[in-house]
């Protein structure tokens, strides 16, 4: 497992989240109650995008994110994105948040699978970063935050070897291996099967630095070419494209990681049979995670550094629906397996205020309800107890 995977996972999933929210905010119908207060205008969409990107690229948050560390659980990561999606006046109910996270994860999984070389994962990340910069091009202060992250990505990842990038790719695929959610865009483009698994192409350009397969050359011990044999490669491959730019500015060449929602079309998600079966297996395994304490300590630091943009008036928030109708959204919530849904986290306060200051801050910002329960347990026991809420 690579200890350099988390920043790439977060930035690419965050980029996909911004693509989806931008598309839905542009297509969102104005509810009756919202129309009475103030007409939906372009400025509202920009405000939502700016608030989320500001939170996503918060300096303290990124300082913790870029530290070498293991990936933590899917639920912990989902919690971070749930919080990030609600960093502005926009609100999503559980069914829409589930769908948003499904689209994010399946899109990036597809991109990781189709990367010609492991190193091209960095180009995919740069495509997401380029699009994020475009979202905030008129806001210099936020643009500076994004540029600083760009510099960190270049400084940390461009010196890595091909083997280190292969380890990052393997770590990402292990993280995504049990996710087989069908997405309408992928199904219509015939890049995903009905069981939720992706179809890998046997055509197109070969990876940069390689040749089209189909030729075997035999050499003597002195390096002299003795014979050439040709064979059918079973595909329709073409010569490699030029390598994309790994600098802050430049053409990436690779299209993976660009906005596939730029052309408006409905996007649906469905749980495949494979995913439901894997959910049942996951439910059986209820053994405590031995790394729970370390994981939650990290999560507290990460989330404690994210500055939330809360509206002064709670009524000023508006709800975004990722489904065509409210009825469809309600039906999705009912039919979704419980193992793939994530409830609101309730974090219990403790007497050890100094040790749990960051967790207490998170509790307050989540708006958790319930009285604080006094406890004489140690800090480690408190963290392990809270793992039940994740």
């Amino acid at each position: 497992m690579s200890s350099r995977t988390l920043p790439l996972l977060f930035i690419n999933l965050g980029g996909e989240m911004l693509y989806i929210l931008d598309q839905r905010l542009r297509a969102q119908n104005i509810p009756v109650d919202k129309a009475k207060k103030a007409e939906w205008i372009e400025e509202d969409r920009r405000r939502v995008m700016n608030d989320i990107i500001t939170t996503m690229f918060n300096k303290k948050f990124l300082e913790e994110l870029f530290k070498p560390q293991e990936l933590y659980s899917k639920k912990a990561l989902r919690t971070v994105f749930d919080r990030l999606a609600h960093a502005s006046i926009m609100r999503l109910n559980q069914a829409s948040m589930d769908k948003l996270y499904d689209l994010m994860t399946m899109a990036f999984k597809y991109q990781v699978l189709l990367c010609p070389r492991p190193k091209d994962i960095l180009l995919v990340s740069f495509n997401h970063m380029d699009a994020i910069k475009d979202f905030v091009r008129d806001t210099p202060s936020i643009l500076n935050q994004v540029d600083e992250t760009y510099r960190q990505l270049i400084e940390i990842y461009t010196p890595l070897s091909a083997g280190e990038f292969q380890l990052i790719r393997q770590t990402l695929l292990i993280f995504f291996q049990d996710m087989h959610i069908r997405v309408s865009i992928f199904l219509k483009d015939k890049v995903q099967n009905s069981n939720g698994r992706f179809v890998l192409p046997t055509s197109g350009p070969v990876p940069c630095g390689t040749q089209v397969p189909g030729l075997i050359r035999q050499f003597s011990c002195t390096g002299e070419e003795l014979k050439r044999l040709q064979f059918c490669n079973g595909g329709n491959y073409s010569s490699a494209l030029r390598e994309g730019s790994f600098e802050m500015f430049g053409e990436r060449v690779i299209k993976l990681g660009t906005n596939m929602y730029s052309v408006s079309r409905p996007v649906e998600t469905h749980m495949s049979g494979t995913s439901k079966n894997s959910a049942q297996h996951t439910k059986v395994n209820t053994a405590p995670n031995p790394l729970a304490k370390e994981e939650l300590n990290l999560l507290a630091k990460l989330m404690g550094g994210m500055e939330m943009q809360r509206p002064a008036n709670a009524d000023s928030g508006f709800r975004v629906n990722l489904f065509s109708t409210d009825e469809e959204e309600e039906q999705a919530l009912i039919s979704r397996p419980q193992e793939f849904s994530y409830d609101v986290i309730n974090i219990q306060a403790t007497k050890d205020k100094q040790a749990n200051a960051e967790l207490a801050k998170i509790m307050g910002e989540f708006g958790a309800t319930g009285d604080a329960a006094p406890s004489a347990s140690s800090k480690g026991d408190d963290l392990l107890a809270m793992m039940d809420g994740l």
Side-chain angles (χ1 to χ4, degrees), residues 75 79 299 303 343-347 366-369 386 389-390:
K75 282 196 173 184
T79 300
L299 184 60
M303 298 175 66
D343 297 328
V344 174
I345 294 178
N346 293 312
I347 299 177
F366 266 121
T369 58
M386 282 188 291
L390 287 178

Side-chain angles (χ1 to χ4, degrees), residues 45-321:
R45 183 192 65 82
R46 290 181 182 176
R47 176 184 173 185
V48 170
M49 300 297 286
N50 286 350
D51 287 349
I52 292 175
I53 294 171
T54 300
T55 306
M56 181 176 172
F57 292 95
N58 174 271
K59 185 178 179 180
K60 291 181 180 178
F61 174 70
L62 290 176
E63 284 176 358
E64 295 294 334
L65 189 74
F66 274 94
K67 291 178 180 178
Q69 58 197 279
E70 297 295 324
L71 285 184
Y72 43 89
S73 70
K74 294 179 177 67
K75 282 196 173 184
L77 187 66
R78 161 63 193 262
T79 300
V80 173
F81 279 104
D82 198 339
R83 179 183 167 92
L84 184 61
H86 293 90
S88 184
I89 58 174
M90 179 191 69
R91 294 294 173 265
L92 298 167
N93 74 10
Q94 185 174 323
S96 284
M97 188 63 215
D98 287 342
K99 180 175 179 179
L100 173 63
Y101 192 70
D102 289 345
L103 291 172
M104 291 159 49
T105 52
M106 293 307 290
F108 186 44
K109 178 181 179 179
Y110 175 72
Q111 293 157 13
V112 173
L113 282 170
L114 263 69
C115 271
R117 304 174 302 170
K119 187 178 182 180
D120 291 332
I121 292 174
L122 191 53
L123 291 177
V124 173
S125 305
F126 287 166
N127 275 334
H128 283 117
M129 291 291 292
D130 291 341
I132 292 171
K133 284 184 67 174
D134 190 56
F135 285 138
V136 295
R137 62 183 181 273
D138 298 325
T139 314
S141 60
I142 307 176
L143 194 59
N144 289 336
Q145 290 179 251
V146 180
D147 284 342
E148 178 57 33
T149 305
Y150 238 128
R151 284 186 282 270
Q152 286 183 273
L153 285 172
I154 293 171
E155 179 183 344
I156 294 172
Y157 289 97
T158 52
L160 297 185
S161 66
E164 288 172 308
F165 273 111
Q166 172 59 21
L167 190 57
I168 289 174
R169 182 177 185 271
Q170 187 177 15
T171 305
L172 288 170
L173 291 177
I174 291 171
F175 180 83
F176 289 127
Q177 67 180 350
D178 294 326
M179 299 180 182
H180 306 294
I181 298 159
R182 292 173 292 169
V183 179
S184 61
I185 286 181
F186 294 138
L187 292 169
K188 290 173 183 176
D189 291 343
K190 300 187 185 302
V191 298
Q192 190 180 34
N193 291 324
S194 58
N195 62 2
R197 298 182 184 274
F198 289 112
V199 179
L200 299 182
T202 56
S203 61
V206 296
C208 186
T210 63
Q211 297 177 345
V212 176
L215 178 65
I216 300 174
R217 295 187 293 173
Q218 295 181 355
F219 295 87
S220 67
C221 57
T222 60
E224 181 184 357
E225 186 175 329
L226 299 176
K227 189 198 298 187
R228 290 191 174 199
L229 297 173
Q230 291 187 332
F231 65 93
C232 179
N233 58 31
N236 185 23
Y237 298 104
S238 58
S239 299
L241 302 173
R242 70 184 187 281
E243 187 173 43
S245 172
F246 287 91
E247 301 298 326
M248 188 178 294
F249 302 99
E251 188 177 355
R252 312 303 175 192
V253 180
I254 190 172
K255 299 302 179 186
L256 296 171
T258 56
N259 191 351
M260 66 178 180
Y261 307 100
S262 54
V263 178
S264 181
R265 48 180 174 168
V267 183
E268 302 299 334
T269 58
H270 305 279
M271 298 298 297
S272 68
T274 308
S275 295
K276 291 177 182 177
N277 292 335
S278 65
Q280 293 172 359
H281 292 304
T282 304
K283 189 175 182 180
V284 174
N285 183 15
T286 57
N289 182 357
L291 297 177
K293 182 173 72 172
E294 289 79 1
E295 181 175 282
L296 281 169
N297 276 327
L298 171 62
L299 184 60
K301 288 183 180 179
L302 287 175
M303 298 175 66
M306 294 172 69
E307 296 177 0
M308 303 298 290
Q309 304 285 335
R310 293 294 186 190
N313 183 359
D315 293 335
S316 63
F318 63 92
R319 185 174 69 87
V320 172
N321 186 353

